[in-house]
Amino acid sequence: MNGSELTVKIKEFLTPQSESVFPQRRPMGDERFGDIVLRFRDLQYATKLPDAAIIGVPQDIGVNRNFGRTGAALAPDAIRRAFYKLTTFAGKTTLSADKFSIVECGNITVEGLSLEEIHRRQEQAVWLLLKAGITPIILGGGHDIAWPNGQALAKIDASYGVLNIDAHPDVRPLDAGKGHSGTAFRQILENKENPLPTGAFVEFGIQSFATSVFFLDFLRSKQARIVFYDDIRRNGFDTSVRDVFDYLASKARSLYTSFDIDSCASAYAPGASAPSTLGFTAEEICRAAYIAGKNPAVRLIDIVEVNPNFDADNRTAKLAAIMMAQFISGLAERKFGIN
Amino acid sequence: MNGSELTVKIKEFLTPQSESVFPQRRPMGDERFGDIVLRFRDLQYATKLPDAAIIGVPQDIGVNRNFGRTGAALAPDAIRRAFYKLTTFAGKTTLSADKFSIVECGNITVEGLSLEEIHRRQEQAVWLLLKAGITPIILGGGHDIAWPNGQALAKIDASYGVLNIDAHPDVRPLDAGKGHSGTAFRQILENKENPLPTGAFVEFGIQSFATSVFFLDFLRSKQARIVFYDDIRRNGFDTSVRDVFDYLASKARSLYTSFDIDSCASAYAPGASAPSTLGFTAEEICRAAYIAGKNPAVRLIDIVEVNPNFDADNRTAKLAAIMMAQFISGLAERKFGIN
Amino acid sequence: MNGSELTVKIKEFLTPQSESVFPQRRPMGDERFGDIVLRFRDLQYATKLPDAAIIGVPQDIGVNRNFGRTGAALAPDAIRRAFYKLTTFAGKTTLSADKFSIVECGNITVEGLSLEEIHRRQEQAVWLLLKAGITPIILGGGHDIAWPNGQALAKIDASYGVLNIDAHPDVRPLDAGKGHSGTAFRQILENKENPLPTGAFVEFGIQSFATSVFFLDFLRSKQARIVFYDDIRRNGFDTSVRDVFDYLASKARSLYTSFDIDSCASAYAPGASAPSTLGFTAEEICRAAYIAGKNPAVRLIDIVEVNPNFDADNRTAKLAAIMMAQFISGLAERKFGIN
């Protein structure tokens, strides 16, 4: 597949990105992600496919169905604005368009569509990217977007696994057959069409006083692994992250990592649909994003539940942007074989 | 004593709790503290007395007298709103009404009363609970509420000790014979009627640039132990907390632990009467609350100086709520003999 | 030189400080920095020169030229208001006017002046203080003030070195020959009149995604040392700070340490011209300020880029105030030979 073929196939699911999220070019030498990212309109001319793709899902229908605070629909552009201003210096590497190509695909079309119709479009777009060997970085939106993300990967590789980094398990029962921002991992675990390999689902960061035994019991009945927040604090963050990736490597070949921003403490991530008092530091979640980027099995990530309506001077959008940058720098190191 | 007898005795000091702080019941299985807490109106039917009781003191008269920023009067309900939404899963245990009973007593009546009259009611209510073997969790209000809390415990057990977790010592001289939010521990240390056993008072977390030598000298003259914030950072938080409980165990049989929210850094606790730049993390203060809950000597706690007027999206009220939950989970583990 | 002579020389560069930043005197014994600081108008009567001097540079012209968010002009008074309320108890010492004297000089005159004219005044005022053996504590303002600060020290001691604690390197090319808040260290490194000794410049805390290789290459071409944020996290904060001071001791005799508040994470320092997602904690930056105070080579510091327009309940101004207090307590320990 080349850029032209991919463009033809994927464009029906997408709404073009407004240019307003890209910063004006800076004085000489000061390159930003906004300078190196491939605009979707130029993908058709690309002879080589990009390494990674950014797609937003600007809706909070699932959050609303779950009686949460709406606002996540605004997250993709808020995160992009912060991300495209970041410089491309990444410590061990410097990102550049020729060595590591990232395409900004814009958003999944949501206008006037039901959550289910949006999810269908999202699943197909993500599936197309995965099939083309591109790593999708999906910006929610509510955590409901994990359901189509999981399905897209499942259809690419039956040996797939899911890591949810979250304060909450998000395995609520569906409401009159309809999913929402609290149901995605139940949908994935109960899906008969594309069954998850046994044990290939991990909840990472589940907090006391933020879930019910009812849901933990459901998870155990599905052979899911639960890594509690308290245990992560006891064992150390880095060790815990590496352990969980080692574990998943023994269960599945292709991994999807979902980052719920409320896995972070509200001091670092105030702009969340449901902010958490306790939780990871900005430092920690960025390290997890970097580790996910380097991990050869990770093929897809998302960052969900950022809520600009409750943010403080874009602190949370900036955190998500740095997470993206860290993930991408990990991906680049993976590609270049840097250790 | 049974629930009916306690109700008759204590109700004259209390104002019933508005139901608005309790969340609507969640979908099946998702139990919250609001679902398991005993309403005060139902205490009269209880054949067994509760394990713990929640009482608010919704006034900031003492803060105002101390020239502080008012707003702490709003704290009890703000904290309750966050607390009753928390789920009952507590890591090693799950709280349930039948195994560990908590009663919501509502507030000490404050309407139209002087600070001294409010304190008298508070002391009597707390004394009644302690006498009934119930662990009171008192939500301030300003730190002046430590004075009646200390007296209530003193009248139950002459071998009583006090641990104040705070950035400031709160041992100012009284103002024309009147206490305020900065005087409570001087009142306790100088009280001749119910003298504190020698050495049974500890100030924990006192910060440089937040107190005067004048007050430290007073504390030393009273054989109080001062654990400075800088030393806690040097020695480690958990070690320091455990050391102080070990020390107090050698000085007194019954302990009262007072948590001033300004012992925490303002990043975690912005909604405080007098926020602190440096201070404990949310993580740390919650661990201290849990350790206090497990400690067999601790019979009474309070959480004071939360100020919703300066809070950020209820971050501080939520922190106080998690502290309550952690304390309660420690209490439950103490009761069940869990290690 | 005595107080009278210094007053005569320095006063032409200064605008007197408004009394509104000083708190009313507290009840007995509760001494604040506002109580012990020497007012500039009283400097003329001082028989002994002060140990340290506070000067503000209330302008954000350089921030504006650099397309940053203005507001730093308000920082000096916001920081002073927080600082003068702090008590004088400093752990190992207690500051007092007779043992350690601090003079509040007010602000460099900025009214109606160009950035270049302000810088000239600042350089001369700082030079006069340094020459008198007084340690200047300069409150920005934008980071452009590092240029005159560096020059003032260079003219006192040719063996001078500079430590910039910052998320960004601030070595942008000048704009049509004019400096701004992003150029100061390029100006210092390229200055032929007062050349920096080889290797005597360190950038400490430079973050990935916050600088360009273009600038890092410039720094390397000038033999500057770059201590990356990621390496500080790997090696530990205290060790990294001590290492950098050891390194600089081998390169220069007199040191200037510049603290950009955006070296701290936005959770701790939200009120910054350009807040950083990642960065030092309040705890860490205060420890660095204290270590700088104790270091016998440090003769001058500044704290820059605090922006009250974006602050949260003065959190950042208070952080800068505690940094000042920590630096001063280090200075006092240096003077008294306390280890």
Side-chain angles (χ1 to χ4, degrees), chain B residues 95-118:
Chain B
L95 282 313
S96 67
D98 55 329
K99 290 205 208 129
F100 191 88
S101 169
I102 307 159
V103 61
E104 169 57 82
C105 292
N107 291 327
I108 298 294
T109 301
V110 301
E111 197 72 30
L113 301 179
S114 71
L115 188 60
E116 288 68 24
E117 287 167 329
I118 296 166

Side-chain angles (χ1 to χ4, degrees), chain C:
Chain C
M1 208 177 335
N2 61 22
S4 173
E5 288 159 358
L6 179 58
T7 302
V8 168
K9 287 180 184 164
I10 201 173
K11 76 176 174 189
E12 68 172 297
F13 309 116
L14 300 172
T15 297
Q17 181 59 41
S18 148
E19 277 291 306
S20 73
V21 300
F22 300 107
Q24 295 182 285
R25 209 181 156 81
R26 285 270 150 183
M28 71 172 158
D30 191 14
E31 204 156 61
R32 310 299 174 107
F33 275 100
D35 298 318
I36 67 161
V37 79
L38 184 69
R39 307 306 199 259
F40 183 70
R41 61 168 184 264
D42 298 327
L43 176 62
Q44 58 186 310
Y45 310 117
T47 49
K48 231 177 58 185
L49 286 174
D51 297 288
I54 295 165
I55 295 189
V57 192
Q59 54 79 16
D60 41 29
I61 303 169
V63 175
N64 194 40
R65 282 188 191 169
N66 194 18
F67 307 102
R69 312 190 300 183
T70 55
L74 306 169
D77 273 9
I79 298 171
R80 283 178 177 116
R81 261 185 211 101
F83 176 72
Y84 287 124
K85 256 191 279 190
L86 296 176
T87 64
T88 54
F89 170 70
K92 293 184 192 168
T93 58
T94 295
L95 282 312
S96 67
D98 56 329
K99 289 204 207 130
F100 191 89
S101 169
I102 307 158
V103 61
E104 168 57 81
C105 293
N107 292 326
I108 299 293
T109 302
V110 301
E111 198 70 30
L113 301 179
S114 71
L115 188 59
E116 288 67 24
E117 287 166 330
I118 296 165
H119 283 175
R120 197 183 52 77
R121 280 168 174 73
Q122 180 192 330
E123 184 189 314
Q124 291 184 277
V126 172
W127 180 86
L128 278 167
L129 292 170
L130 286 168
K131 201 165 150 58
I134 299 168
T135 305
I137 298 168
I138 313 298
L139 307 176
H143 217 158
D144 51 87
I145 72 164
W147 165 235
N149 274 349
Q151 289 316 288
L153 183 58
K155 288 175 181 171
I156 290 292
D157 187 352
S159 173
Y160 79 109
V162 180
L163 169 59
N164 180 35
I165 300 181
D166 201 334
H168 315 95
D170 289 359
V171 290
R172 292 184 182 284
L174 275 66
D175 201 354
K178 287 192 161 183
H180 58 62
S181 70
T183 63
F185 299 105
R186 177 178 293 254
Q187 289 170 279
I188 287 174
L189 286 165
E190 290 188 333
N191 181 31
K192 299 236 165 64
E193 221 176 306
N194 304 294
L196 201 68
T198 306
F201 177 56
V202 179
E203 299 270 18
F204 186 86
I206 302 302
Q207 296 187 17
S208 292
F209 314 117
T211 186
S212 293
V213 173
F214 180 71
F215 299 130
L216 301 178
D217 286 345
F218 168 78
L219 284 166
R220 286 173 186 130
S221 78
K222 296 290 179 185
Q223 278 81 50
R225 183 165 185 149
I226 307 166
V227 184
F228 287 104
Y229 180 74
D230 287 346
D231 291 325
I232 296 166
R233 285 288 163 248
R234 242 185 305 275
N235 301 329
F237 184 81
D238 284 33
T239 303
S240 301
V241 171
R242 294 190 190 280
D243 280 358
V244 87
F245 275 117
D246 285 350
Y247 166 81
L248 279 168
S250 73
K251 299 292 177 188
R253 191 169 41 211
S254 296
L255 297 182
Y256 152 42
T257 304
S258 185
F259 292 89
D260 190 321
I261 205 72
D262 71 22
S263 62
C264 298
S266 52
Y268 295 97
S273 305
S276 300
T277 297
L278 302 179
F280 304 130
T281 64
E283 207 77 42
E284 289 170 336
I285 202 71
C286 286
R287 220 149 53 215
Y290 169 76
I291 292 170
K294 288 201 87 159
N295 190 299
V298 175
R299 297 192 59 181
L300 163 67
I301 68 161
D302 57 30
I303 303 174
V304 302
E305 301 287 357
V306 170
N307 187 331
N309 285 344
F310 295 90
D311 211 353
D313 196 22
N314 299 314
R315 191 184 305 169
T316 317
K318 284 179 184 177
L319 172 56
I322 299 266
M323 288 166 67
M324 287 174 69
Q326 292 279 4
F327 176 73
I328 287 168
S329 81
L331 268 186
E333 292 181 23
R334 190 203 299 186
K335 178 178 181 184
F336 305 150
I338 296 172
N339 225 327

Side-chain angles (χ1 to χ4, degrees), chain A residues 6-16 40 55-58 105-111 113 117-129:
Chain A
L6 179 60
T7 301
V8 168
K9 287 180 184 164
I10 202 173
K11 77 176 174 192
E12 67 171 298
F13 309 115
L14 299 173
T15 297
F40 183 71
I55 294 189
V57 193
C105 292
N107 292 327
I108 299 294
T109 302
V110 301
E111 198 71 29
L113 300 179
E117 287 167 330
I118 296 166
H119 283 176
R120 197 182 52 76
R121 279 168 174 74
Q122 181 192 329
E123 183 189 315
Q124 290 183 278
V126 173
W127 180 84
L128 278 167
L129 292 170

Side-chain angles (χ1 to χ4, degrees), chain A residues 159-272:
Chain A
S159 174
Y160 78 110
V162 180
L163 169 59
N164 180 36
I165 300 180
D166 200 334
H168 315 95
D170 288 359
V171 290
R172 293 184 182 282
L174 275 66
D175 200 354
K178 287 192 159 181
H180 58 62
S181 70
T183 65
F185 299 104
R186 176 178 293 256
Q187 289 170 280
I188 288 174
L189 286 165
E190 289 187 334
N191 182 30
K192 299 236 163 65
E193 221 177 305
N194 305 293
L196 201 68
T198 306
F201 177 55
V202 179
E203 299 271 18
F204 186 86
I206 302 302
Q207 296 187 17
S208 292
F209 314 117
T211 186
S212 293
V213 173
F214 181 70
F215 299 130
L216 302 177
D217 287 345
F218 168 78
L219 284 166
R220 286 173 187 131
S221 78
K222 296 290 181 185
Q223 279 80 51
R225 183 164 184 150
I226 307 165
V227 184
F228 287 104
Y229 181 75
D230 288 344
D231 290 325
I232 296 167
R233 285 288 163 245
R234 242 186 304 275
N235 302 328
F237 184 81
D238 285 33
T239 304
S240 301
V241 170
R242 295 190 189 280
D243 281 358
V244 86
F245 275 117
D246 285 350
Y247 165 81
L248 279 168
S250 72
K251 299 291 177 188
R253 190 169 43 213
S254 296
L255 297 182
Y256 153 40
T257 304
S258 185
F259 293 89
D260 189 321
I261 205 72
D262 71 22
S263 62
C264 298
S266 51
Y268 295 97

Side-chain angles (χ1 to χ4, degrees), chain A residues 28-63:
Chain A
M28 72 172 158
D30 191 14
E31 204 154 59
R32 311 297 174 109
F33 275 100
D35 298 319
I36 67 161
V37 79
L38 184 70
R39 306 306 198 258
F40 183 71
R41 60 168 185 262
D42 297 328
L43 176 61
Q44 58 186 310
Y45 311 117
T47 50
K48 233 177 56 186
L49 285 174
D51 298 288
I54 296 164
I55 294 189
V57 193
Q59 53 80 17
D60 41 29
I61 303 169
V63 175

Side-chain angles (χ1 to χ4, degrees), chain A residues 69 172-173 208-216 228-229 233 266-268 270 275 277-279 310 315, chain B residues 28-33 86-87 89-91 94 267-268 282-283 286 313 315 318-319 322 325-326 329:
Chain A
R69 312 191 300 184
R172 293 184 182 282
S208 292
F209 314 117
T211 186
S212 293
V213 173
F214 181 70
F215 299 130
L216 302 177
F228 287 104
Y229 181 75
R233 285 288 163 245
S266 51
Y268 295 97
T277 297
L278 303 179
F310 295 90
R315 191 184 305 169
Chain B
M28 72 171 158
D30 191 13
E31 205 155 60
R32 311 298 174 109
F33 275 99
L86 296 176
T87 64
F89 169 71
T94 295
Y268 295 97
E283 208 77 43
C286 286
D313 196 23
R315 190 184 306 168
K318 285 179 183 176
L319 172 57
I322 299 265
Q326 292 279 4
S329 82

